[in-house]
Every structure is written in C-alpha cells, then in structure tokens.
Amino acid sequence: MITGLVKGKIHPHKFDKAEFYAAMRSSDLEIINNEIDVIKGTQEKEKEGYEGALLMKKAELVKSLKERLSFFKQGRIKLETNLLADNNNTELHFLRLAIEEHAPKIVKYYFDIEKDKSIVINNFKNLSPVVQNAILDYCENSQVLHRKDFSLH
C-alpha cells in the first residue's frame, strides 16, 4: 500500500492535488519523497509533470551538488516531456513557472517565464479551485505572479 506523510503522520492516501501542493511548499525531504511515491502510483495525465516538479523541488533541499544537478535534470526532463505532450495544460505551465522563478541561474531554466505567466493568467478561471488556491498562495512569494493579475470578484 502506498503511504504518504502529512504533518508527521504516516497514512495511506491516493493522489490529492491539495497534498501535492502542500508538498511543493514544504522543505521536508520526507514529505516530498512520500508524495513522489504517491504520484508514481497515480494515473493522472500530469503524473510526469507533478513528479518532475517535485524532483526539482527536492534538488533545492539535498546537500550534494551532484545530487542537486541530477534531481533537477531528471525533474526538468519529466516536466518538459509532459508539457510537450500536453502543451495546453495551464497547471503544468504554472508548475514550470514556479520552478523557473526560483531555479538557480546556473541551470538556465528561465526562458519561458513570460509565456507561462501569460498562460496562467489567461486560463486561471478554468482551473480547479485547488489549483487556483495554489496559484494565489504562490503569489504571496512571487516576483512574477501577483494577486492583482487575476480579476477576482
């Protein structure tokens, strides 16, 4: 059975977007690793993108430079491959934007920020409430996306 870790408690769960975004915000390697395990067992069409984003997040947290580069590269390939297969997926563009904005300049992963920003803003209203909330939470610490970009009534 696949298990996940949330707030220090191990429990079985299936893929849940809210838990995925909680893992993306986390700085706890155990939470990130457990969420990667959950994603590997899912049939979501964004599976590779989710796993890729978490691998790139994990790259920020490991100590060894070699491991950082390895996780980042693996994650980048998974996310970009998923985007090539599903280029109209706004959520994948948001994930790439979130990674691009915080990636170290040395990895040269920042070329699509403006494109991704535009796609996320233009398609925000079509996203699920969970993803909309993740984007609005992300705006709090973003230099690129701002709450005012989304006409919220």
Side-chain angles (χ1 to χ4, degrees):
M1 180 176 280
I2 297 172
T3 61
L5 179 76
V6 175
K7 295 181 183 168
K9 295 180 182 172
I10 293 181
H11 64 91
H13 77 280
K14 61 183 185 357
F15 179 75
D16 177 275
K17 281 189 187 194
E19 289 191 26
F20 165 76
Y21 283 106
M24 283 295 293
R25 287 189 305 275
S26 176
S27 295
D28 184 320
L29 267 176
E30 192 172 2
I31 290 172
I32 291 167
N33 285 332
N34 283 325
E35 192 63 26
I36 289 170
D37 288 343
V38 169
I39 289 167
K40 286 179 179 177
T42 187
Q43 298 301 313
E44 298 288 319
K45 68 178 181 166
E46 301 92 352
K47 175 181 179 170
E48 294 293 309
Y50 293 146
E51 186 180 348
L54 283 170
L55 284 168
M56 288 187 278
K57 172 69 178 175
K58 182 177 177 174
E60 291 177 14
L61 304 173
V62 295
K63 301 278 187 253
S64 141
L65 181 59
K66 184 178 179 182
E67 276 188 311
R68 283 181 177 198
L69 289 171
S70 175
F71 285 132
F72 193 88
K73 185 177 179 182
Q74 289 173 48
R76 180 183 198 164
I77 290 167
K78 285 181 177 291
L79 179 56
E80 291 296 328
T81 300
N82 204 164
L83 264 163
L84 283 172
D86 191 7
N87 197 40
N88 294 323
N89 188 311
T90 303
E91 186 178 8
L92 293 175
H93 285 281
F94 165 62
L95 290 172
R96 182 168 67 182
L97 171 66
I99 298 295
E100 288 172 319
E101 184 175 4
H102 297 99
K105 295 291 182 236
I106 194 168
V107 296
K108 296 182 170 72
Y109 195 58
Y110 48 77
F111 297 109
D112 293 305
I113 289 177
E114 289 304 315
K115 173 183 158 189
D116 291 338
K117 175 183 176 180
S118 174
I119 290 169
V120 169
I121 290 170
N122 291 333
N123 298 305
F124 180 79
K125 288 184 170 97
N126 303 327
L127 295 168
S128 72
V130 171
V131 179
Q132 287 180 353
N133 287 333
I135 291 170
L136 294 174
D137 287 348
Y138 179 77
C139 288
E140 302 301 319
N141 298 308
S142 176
Q143 302 299 309
V144 177
L145 280 180
H146 309 283
R147 284 175 99 66
K148 70 180 190 307
D149 294 330
F150 308 99
S151 51
L152 304 172
H153 298 52

